[in-house]
Amino acid sequence: MINVLFFAQVRELLGESSIQVEATAETTTAEALRAVLASKDDKWGKVLVSDKLLVAVNQTISGWDTPVQDGDEVAFFPPVTGG
């Protein structure tokens, strides 16, 4: 399983702080995982727009082409957080 975390406004808009996603041939990169999640429904699609998000894989800020595999932690968050 891939542990997916959501932070700040992403978490608030989705109403989820984390979910588990099965690692499959469709979730091999951060972008592929984002696309799978965005296809869940309209709300997820509107929130998980890649040019409005940053991604971290295993607690390291990453690019969308970063490989993702079973056991990884992937976090999605807006570019500006805090206050």
Side-chain angles (χ1 to χ4, degrees):
M1 297 296 272
I2 301 167
N3 188 33
V4 183
L5 307 174
F6 306 106
F7 291 98
Q9 187 178 17
V10 177
R11 177 182 63 220
E12 293 169 15
L13 292 171
L14 293 177
E16 300 275 355
S17 61
S18 67
I19 61 170
Q20 297 260 319
V21 176
E22 186 174 347
T24 69
E26 295 178 340
T27 60
T28 58
T29 66
E31 170 56 24
L33 176 62
R34 184 210 60 79
V36 166
L37 294 173
S39 70
K40 285 179 66 151
D41 65 30
D42 287 344
K43 175 176 75 172
W44 286 71
K46 289 177 184 174
V47 174
L48 297 177
V49 177
S50 61
D51 65 345
K52 296 181 181 178
L53 291 175
L54 293 176
V55 64
V57 177
N58 297 321
Q59 300 181 3
T60 300
I61 299 292
S62 303
W64 291 106
D65 59 347
T66 301
V68 175
Q69 60 187 354
D70 190 41
D72 282 348
E73 176 187 271
V74 179
F76 295 106
F77 51 97
V80 177
T81 62

